[in-house]
Amino acid sequence: EVQLVESGGDLVKPGRSLKLSCLASGFTFTNYGVSWIRQAPGKGLEWIASISSSSSYIYYADTVKGRFTISRDNAKNTLYLQMTGLRSEDSALYYCTRGNYELLDAWGQGTSVTVSS
Amino acid sequence: DVQMTQSPYNLVASPGESVSINCKASKSISKYLAWYQQKPGKTNKLLIYDGSTLQSGIPSRFRGSGSGTDFTLTIRSLEPEDFGLYYCQQHNEYPLTFGSGTKLEIK
């Protein structure tokens, strides 16, 4: 069974940093690109970053470019999102997703990030 | 960036009925449109990709159509478990963009 389990979400103050992780299982991690999608409370889905299977291609939304860094450790089947300079508008449920060709064919349950003083 | 305009915002229908959700792209995305279902307590589910290709394991009552800028998700013979939120997403180019969502309520 394909599983994506996010962790690392927390309540943090504006300007602080946080690192999210996503542990993948049930499939060959190295065969897939992976992405982070977020959803603010009561709002829609927002793509924020994607990384290809070998980390050769990385893409960011303008809203997080320069502040967030996506990375992966294929030996550990783990995807990361390093978030710096957090703002209140970054408060959201952060989903880890799997997919090639810009599709998102498996999702995790999400980890919650709240940015508040 | 490709803007995705999804309509309607809300739908209410009875089991057995058919409903349609529309998604319009701000420029041509060829066939590269996906539909997702979001339900409380469940992981989001990919229903359709490439405009009309049914994802493995998805019931055939879900049907996608369209190309270019205009796309439609049709759910025939609604089942009670079809309630939830539905999102379209263009998978033609980065940045990936989603529609604003349609809430489907079952009477």
Side-chain angles (χ1 to χ4, degrees), chain A residues 10 13 18 26 32-33 35 51 66 75 84 86 88 101 104-105 111 113:
Chain A
D10 204 352
K13 291 180 171 18
L18 194 65
Y32 288 87
S35 302
I51 186 168
T84 63
L86 282 162
S88 58
Y101 308 109
L104 311 166
D105 70 352
T111 188
V113 173

Side-chain angles (χ1 to χ4, degrees), chain A residues 5-113:
Chain A
V5 180
E6 304 93 337
S7 61
D10 204 352
L11 168 63
V12 296
K13 291 180 171 18
R16 296 290 179 93
S17 299
L18 194 65
K19 188 171 186 175
L20 306 182
S21 300
C22 170
L23 179 61
S25 61
F27 65 100
T28 303
F29 188 62
T30 52
N31 285 350
Y32 288 87
V34 277
S35 302
W36 290 99
I37 309 294
R38 69 184 180 186
Q39 187 169 30
K43 302 294 185 183
L45 300 169
E46 179 190 13
W47 168 82
I48 55 173
S50 295
I51 186 168
S52 63
S53 56
S54 60
S55 304
S56 298
Y57 300 97
I58 292 175
Y59 305 91
Y60 294 100
D62 285 345
T63 51
V64 305
K65 198 175 294 183
R67 299 188 299 124
F68 290 10
T69 302
I70 189 172
S71 62
R72 63 190 292 165
D73 185 337
N74 285 345
K76 295 182 178 179
N77 284 359
T78 302
L79 171 69
Y80 302 101
L81 185 68
Q82 177 69 55
M83 304 186 292
T84 63
L86 282 162
R87 307 166 180 167
S88 58
E89 55 264 36
D90 295 318
S91 296
L93 189 64
Y94 283 72
Y95 295 104
C96 167
T97 67
R98 177 193 87 166
N100 292 326
Y101 308 109
E102 291 72 47
L103 282 175
L104 311 166
D105 70 352
W107 295 63
Q109 293 276 10
T111 188
S112 180
V113 173

